[in-house]
Structures are given as C-alpha cells and as structure tokens.
C-alpha cells in the first residue's frame, strides 16, 4: 500500500510496487508525479528531507536535500528588507535545488530503479495531463497574484481572464515532462575539492589547484554502482574516470 496527498501520485506509487519496485522506488515515482499535480508544495525546483527505514539494518537513514544558497549570500543579506513576498519571488532568495540529488541518491543507495525509470509516471502525467481538482484550484487562486512576473506559469495555470483553470479542466505540462526526461542511467555527481588539493584529468587539459574553500568537479557514476564503489581512495588520492585528485604535500 502507499499514501500521498494526491490520488494520481498514490496510484503511481502502488503501480511501482506492483511492477517489482521497492518502497524507495515507489516514493520517488510518487514524488515525480506530485511535482506535476501538486507543484505548489512539491517538485524538482526545491529541496527537503527524506527518511528511509532500512529493513536489513533496522536503521533510519536521512537524506538532507535543502536548497543551497549562492556563495555570495551572507547571514545579513536580508537585513533591512521588509517585503517578504518580494524577497520570496524576486530571485533575492534563490537557491540551488536539492530535490533531484536526493531522488538520485535515494535510488542509488536504497532503491532498485534508475532515476529515469522512476520519473516515467511523472512524464506520463505531465504529457497526458491531469484534471484540476478543488485543492489545485484553490492553491492556484491563492498564488495567482504573483504570476504576473512569470508568463509561462500564467499560461500554464490561468485562463486568459487571469483566473485559475476551472475544476475538471485538463492541465498538461510538456516543459516539465521534457525536464524529467533529462536524467539518464549515468548520473553526474559533484565532488567538493578541499582547499589546497589538486585535480588532474589525463583525458582533458585540466590541472587545477583549489585556492578557495572548495571547488567542484563532476564525475560520471553509473546508475548501478554506489558513489563509494565508483571512487578509489588511497592515502588521500582519489581516482575516477581518468580524474585524479590529491592533496599536495
């Protein structure tokens, strides 16, 4: 069995279980659908926390994926600002979404499906459409005042007179379906390089020493292997996909 805040997402989770997926596979499949039918509280543009109970080790595992603030953001960046709504939607409070990373990590460490497979139900709903219910109508009505700055959102969720689409109307989101199709079976994982470490890639012109607190490189990790299994570490020496990273003496 499964439970979510929306029957379409719940059916996606149950279908995933019937297809042989485990609870984590079903959870990500449902989350992908919620990003379509419950966009005001779910979606790839945000972050969150996921708790997973492991039946084998009887431990509760936590995946924290809250948005990361830009490097230039400081503790007093909002000092003196009083208009919350402007700060919320103007880009002042923008963060790097953590949800896609959480989904990928949950599946890689605890699931059996690839992210591409888990997102197929969401792609189907976004492509074929879903019926607006009263909850979706009310959420859209409450948010419509800020849609003036977001033309694509207005076109998607509002009628030409600026009111929410009527209950029972079919809404399709082809742009989100296209976004969901981006993940492939090979994931790209960002690795932080501490200050003073050196990075070399034998197949590229890359020889960088980090002078900042950390820089990031992307490593390709096959969907069927864990990050730990993909990376070899010996005496502070990291090697993966012809990329070497080590701490200079």
């Amino acid at each position: 069995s499964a439970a979510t805040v929306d029957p379409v997402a719940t059916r996606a989770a149950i279908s995933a279980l019937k297809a042989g997926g485990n609870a984590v596979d079903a959870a990500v499949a449902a989350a992908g659908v919620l990003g379509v039918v419950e966009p005001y509280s779910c979606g790839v543009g945000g972050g969150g926390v996921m708790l997973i109970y492991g039946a084998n080790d009887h431990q509760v595992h936590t995946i924290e994926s809250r948005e990361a603030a830009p490097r230039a953001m400081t503790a007093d960046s909002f000092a003196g600002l009083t208009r919350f709504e402007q700060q919320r939607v103007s880009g002042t409070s923008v963060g790097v979404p953590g949800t896609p990373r959480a989904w990928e990590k949950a599946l890689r460490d605890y699931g059996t499906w690839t992210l591409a497979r888990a997102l197929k139900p969401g792609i189907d709903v976004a492509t074929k459409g879903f019926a607006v219910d009263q909850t979706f109508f009310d959420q859209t009505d409450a948010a419509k005042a800020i849609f003036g700055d977001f033309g694509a959102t207005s076109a998607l969720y509002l009628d030409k007179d600026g009111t929410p689409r009527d209950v029972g109307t079919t809404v399709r989101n082809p742009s989100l379906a296209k976004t969901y199709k981006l993940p492939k079976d090979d994931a790209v994982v960002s690795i932080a390089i501490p200050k003073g470490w050196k990075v070399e890639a034998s197949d590229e012109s890359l020889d960088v020493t980090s002078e900042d607190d950390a820089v990031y490189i992307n490593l390709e990790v096959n969907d069927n292997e864990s990050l730990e299994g993909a990376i070899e570490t010996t005496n502070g020496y990291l090697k993966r996909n012809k990329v070497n990273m080590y701490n200079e003496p």
Side-chain angles (χ1 to χ4, degrees), residues 2 4 6-19 25-34 113 118 120-122 125:
T4 76
D6 187 274
V8 179
T10 299
R11 287 195 293 270
I14 293 174
S15 295
L17 294 173
K18 289 182 177 180
D25 303 327
V28 176
V33 173
L34 286 173
W113 285 9
K120 285 182 179 179
V125 176

Side-chain angles (χ1 to χ4, degrees), residues 40 132-144 164-165 167:
Y40 299 105
V132 173
D133 60 14
Q134 190 62 50
T135 298
F136 190 91
F137 178 93
D138 292 343
Q139 290 175 329
T140 303
D141 193 47
K144 65 182 181 182
R165 300 199 184 281
V167 173

Side-chain angles (χ1 to χ4, degrees), residues 8-239:
V8 179
T10 299
R11 287 195 293 270
I14 293 174
S15 295
L17 294 173
K18 289 182 177 180
N22 67 13
V24 173
D25 303 327
V28 176
V33 173
L34 286 173
V36 183
V37 302
E38 188 80 9
Y40 299 105
S41 59
C42 306
V44 291
V49 177
M50 185 182 294
L51 298 179
I52 300 172
Y53 175 76
N56 294 329
D57 61 10
H58 304 290
Q59 299 291 319
V60 176
H61 305 273
T62 303
I63 299 177
E64 191 278 319
S65 61
R66 289 313 308 263
E67 302 85 344
R71 181 173 295 182
M73 186 68 71
T74 64
D76 59 356
S77 292
F78 294 109
L81 300 179
T82 58
R83 297 180 59 189
F84 172 77
E85 198 66 15
Q86 183 180 27
Q87 299 162 34
R88 184 172 74 90
V89 301
S90 66
T92 305
S93 58
V94 68
V96 178
T99 294
R101 175 175 56 82
W103 290 353
E104 193 277 331
K105 178 175 176 56
L107 292 169
R108 186 180 69 237
D109 292 353
Y110 308 105
T112 65
W113 285 9
T114 65
L115 181 56
R117 181 178 181 182
L119 288 177
K120 285 182 179 179
I123 293 172
D124 289 341
V125 176
T127 301
K128 298 176 182 178
F130 66 95
V132 173
D133 60 14
Q134 190 62 50
T135 298
F136 190 91
F137 178 93
D138 292 343
Q139 290 175 329
T140 303
D141 193 47
K144 65 182 181 182
I146 65 174
F147 285 177
D149 292 331
F150 305 95
T153 304
S154 296
L156 186 62
Y157 297 137
L158 301 180
D159 286 329
K160 292 183 178 180
D161 63 359
T163 61
R165 300 199 184 281
D166 295 335
V167 173
T169 303
T170 298
V171 171
R172 297 177 178 83
N173 194 337
S175 294
L176 184 56
K178 183 178 180 179
T179 299
Y180 277 178
K181 292 177 182 179
L182 293 176
K184 304 299 181 182
D185 288 344
D186 287 338
V188 176
V189 179
S190 292
I191 302 296
I193 305 171
K195 182 178 181 179
W197 285 51
K198 192 172 184 178
V199 182
E200 293 180 343
S202 58
D203 60 344
E204 298 180 31
S205 176
L206 176 63
D207 188 343
V208 180
T209 300
S210 172
E211 298 295 342
D212 210 331
D213 290 338
V215 295
Y216 292 84
I217 59 172
N218 290 330
L219 304 180
E220 291 185 2
V221 177
N222 186 278
D223 193 81
N224 294 321
E225 62 184 346
S226 68
L227 179 60
E228 291 77 15
I231 297 175
E232 303 171 8
T233 306
T234 306
N235 297 326
Y237 185 85
L238 182 149
K239 181 178 182 180

